[in-house]
Amino acid sequence: MKENDVRTSNSIMGYLLLKDGSFHIIEMIATLIRRYNVDIKFDEETNAFTFKFGEYIVGASFVNSPMGNDDAKEACKYNFLWQNAEEIVSNHKAHVLLTILNCHNKLEGYKLFTNIMSVLANFDNTIAVYMPAQNMTLNAKTYVEDARVLVTGKNPIHLWICICPVELEDATIVYTYGLNEFGKNEIEVRSTDKHYMEMFDFVYNLCDYILTQNVSIESGDNFKTVNGETVSAIVNNGVYIDRVSTKFNM
């Protein structure tokens, strides 16, 4: 393994999908001011606000219409924990775009993004959070609940990286989509006899390790599974990912 710097792309973007055009912007701004002690500039004509927090620039804008494409609906198929997600998401009537700029440290940027999105999503008319870079759509209420682990110092990895199971006739595959946002190779794990949740847990813990320790895995690096088995990494061209990936056989 070797240490390396996270990618210095400077933005994070996500969408909050709403049941209707009710946007509790004044309450949201009041909560953010109370929590972060920031000076928020609100443009009433565009229903948008911005503020600075340290080196970060935060912006949110309300659009009183559905998203212009079906990307959020299509991404629902990767969320195996949310039943009927496509039908629910397809009925959204409005959305909010949240952006964070100046994210030279992506891990800290995603922590800030998640905390702010949790404020925006903590209202009755919210449906889902859509993360385009991860091709991932999440239940808004679940997002708020799962983001609370940040106060304990833990990382809600599944809110930042899509961990996708694929059931084949002869094997199960679990792969990631979103590690590239942090300048890391995606992960692909294959097994002929493991349950996908065991594989999910392995990938989840490995992603957390990669991000918190800021390391890149090399071929031949060994890791323990949740059951204590040793698996070795192979780094080469991806199978389910159209770029280089880190592979394991379990």
Side-chain angles (χ1 to χ4, degrees):
M1 277 167 287
K2 62 180 181 180
E3 293 188 4
N4 74 334
D5 294 330
V6 295
R7 194 175 63 171
T8 56
S9 59
N10 68 351
S11 66
I12 299 170
M13 180 176 67
Y15 296 85
L16 176 65
L17 309 187
L18 307 173
K19 295 177 184 176
D20 51 47
S22 300
F23 185 45
H24 306 272
I25 193 164
I26 302 304
E27 292 178 63
M28 291 176 180
I29 289 174
T31 302
L32 291 169
I33 291 173
R34 185 170 62 251
R35 182 174 297 183
Y36 295 104
N37 191 27
V38 289
D39 179 24
I40 295 181
K41 298 177 181 178
F42 173 49
D43 187 331
E44 192 170 353
E45 288 189 11
T46 60
N47 270 324
F49 65 83
T50 59
F51 67 89
K52 291 190 69 175
F53 183 73
E55 65 179 359
Y56 303 102
I57 301 172
V58 181
S61 58
F62 168 69
V63 182
N64 194 13
S65 64
M67 289 182 59
N69 53 52
D70 290 329
D71 290 350
K73 177 183 173 182
E74 289 296 316
C76 289
K77 63 186 176 183
Y78 300 111
N79 187 343
F80 65 99
L81 297 175
W82 189 8
Q83 299 297 315
N84 303 317
E86 291 184 51
E87 179 182 353
I88 295 169
V89 167
S90 66
N91 290 322
H92 80 278
K93 298 296 189 293
H95 65 279
V96 178
L97 171 62
L98 174 64
T99 57
I100 311 283
L101 301 179
N102 270 2
C103 296
H104 301 302
N105 184 316
K106 270 297 183 72
L107 180 58
E108 295 304 316
Y110 265 95
K111 291 178 182 178
L112 178 63
F113 177 93
T114 302
N115 279 321
I116 294 172
M117 180 60 85
S118 295
V119 173
L120 306 188
N122 197 26
F123 290 88
D124 291 340
N125 67 323
T126 61
I127 295 176
V129 174
Y130 170 58
M131 304 295 293
Q134 291 80 2
N135 197 26
M136 179 169 65
T137 301
L138 303 159
N139 182 291
K141 303 307 178 190
T142 302
Y143 187 99
V144 173
E145 293 172 5
D146 292 354
R148 290 177 181 144
V149 302
L150 282 167
V151 301
T152 69
K154 296 181 180 179
N155 294 318
I157 293 297
H158 59 296
L159 303 185
W160 305 338
I161 299 166
C162 186
I163 303 177
C164 312
V166 179
E167 296 281 359
L168 305 177
E169 284 188 11
D170 61 342
T172 300
I173 309 295
V174 173
Y175 68 94
T176 65
Y177 199 86
L179 273 172
N180 187 60
E181 271 287 284
F182 299 86
K184 312 296 184 181
N185 291 332
E186 304 294 353
I187 297 170
E188 298 180 281
V189 179
R190 184 181 188 275
S191 177
T192 58
D193 60 358
K194 298 291 190 294
H195 190 272
Y196 72 85
M197 283 307 302
E198 181 181 340
M199 300 166 67
F200 181 97
D201 289 343
F202 171 74
V203 173
Y204 188 105
N205 292 333
L206 185 57
C207 289
D208 191 31
Y209 170 74
I210 289 169
L211 297 188
T212 55
Q213 300 301 314
N214 190 26
V215 297
S216 292
I217 299 173
E218 299 180 305
S219 290
D221 288 341
N222 294 323
F223 294 88
K224 293 285 187 182
T225 69
V226 291
N227 289 327
E229 301 172 7
T230 300
V231 291
S232 295
I234 301 171
V235 180
N236 54 24
N237 289 332
V239 177
Y240 287 88
I241 303 297
D242 60 353
R243 59 179 75 103
V244 172
S245 71
T246 302
K247 300 175 184 63
F248 296 90
N249 288 307
M250 291 179 65

